[in-house]
């Protein structure tokens, strides 16, 4: 794929070019992705996917991406019932992930998986929701 890297210096246009390149690479392994290979291995001009979801789709394919979205679904549906503030914050993180790699960073991974762990508590203790 021949990509014109000089199309725009604007962030949004550049992201769209990067995402197009990612989808082009993904054509080779749509179900499993590239594994640990980031987009920088295929296009030296791109250092990062500039999107949590495009990066996960590239690295894990459709299978991993579906699993990742399922984790978000569990998180959002749980906190919608429990705490509106945390629910809103989760949506903020989810939307921010469109434009930045969020849970790939250690501190955001810690927040995400800490919040996600609480979604498992009702399976272990059915009266967790009733007491809180």
């Amino acid at each position: 794929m021949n990509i014109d890297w000089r199309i725009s210096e604007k962030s949004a246009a550049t992201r769209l070019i990067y995402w197009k390149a990612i989808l082009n690479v993904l054509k080779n392994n749509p179900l499993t992705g590239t594994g640990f290979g980031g987009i920088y291995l295929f296009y030296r001009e791109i250092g990062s996917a500039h999107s949590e979801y495009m990066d996960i789709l590239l690295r894990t394919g459709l299978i991993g991406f579906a699993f990742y979205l399922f984790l978000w679904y569990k998180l959002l549906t749980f906190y919608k019932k429990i705490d509106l503030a945390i629910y809103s914050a989760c949506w903020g993180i989810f939307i921010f992930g469109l434009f930045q790699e969020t849970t790939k960073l250690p501190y955001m991974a810690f927040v995400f998986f800490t919040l996600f762990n609480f979604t498992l508590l009702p399976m272990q203790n059915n009266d967790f929701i009733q007491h809180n």
Side-chain angles (χ1 to χ4, degrees):
M1 178 175 157
N2 189 11
I3 297 177
D4 184 2
W5 302 106
R6 299 169 289 125
I7 288 177
S8 175
E9 293 180 9
K10 295 182 180 181
S11 179
T14 302
R15 278 183 169 83
L16 291 175
I17 293 167
Y18 289 1
W19 298 346
K20 185 177 180 180
I22 288 168
L23 292 175
N24 187 53
V25 170
L26 192 63
K27 288 178 187 177
N28 294 329
N29 296 305
L31 291 180
T32 59
T34 62
F36 290 108
I39 191 63
Y40 55 87
L41 295 175
F42 301 93
Y43 295 101
R44 290 181 172 210
E45 299 84 357
I46 304 176
S48 167
H50 295 281
S51 168
E52 179 78 9
Y53 309 106
M54 293 303 285
D55 188 60
I56 289 172
L57 182 61
L58 174 71
R59 292 172 188 261
T60 65
L62 293 171
I63 295 170
F65 185 66
F67 180 72
Y68 183 72
L69 290 179
F70 176 74
L71 293 179
W72 270 107
Y73 170 77
K74 292 287 289 179
L75 188 77
L76 290 167
T77 55
F78 177 78
Y79 284 108
K80 184 177 183 180
K81 298 174 191 170
I82 302 298
D83 190 316
L84 188 58
I86 295 175
Y87 174 71
S88 300
C90 289
W91 267 112
I93 294 168
F94 183 83
I95 292 168
F96 186 61
L98 292 170
F99 311 104
Q100 187 62 263
E101 289 139 9
T102 51
T103 58
K104 190 166 90 172
L105 302 172
Y107 53 87
M108 285 308 298
F110 176 78
V111 170
F112 178 79
F113 286 107
T114 299
L115 290 173
F116 184 76
N117 282 334
F118 285 112
T119 69
L120 303 176
L121 286 176
M123 286 190 265
Q124 298 169 8
N125 183 0
N126 290 331
D127 59 357
F128 170 75
I129 295 173
Q130 295 170 356
H131 291 341
N132 293 319

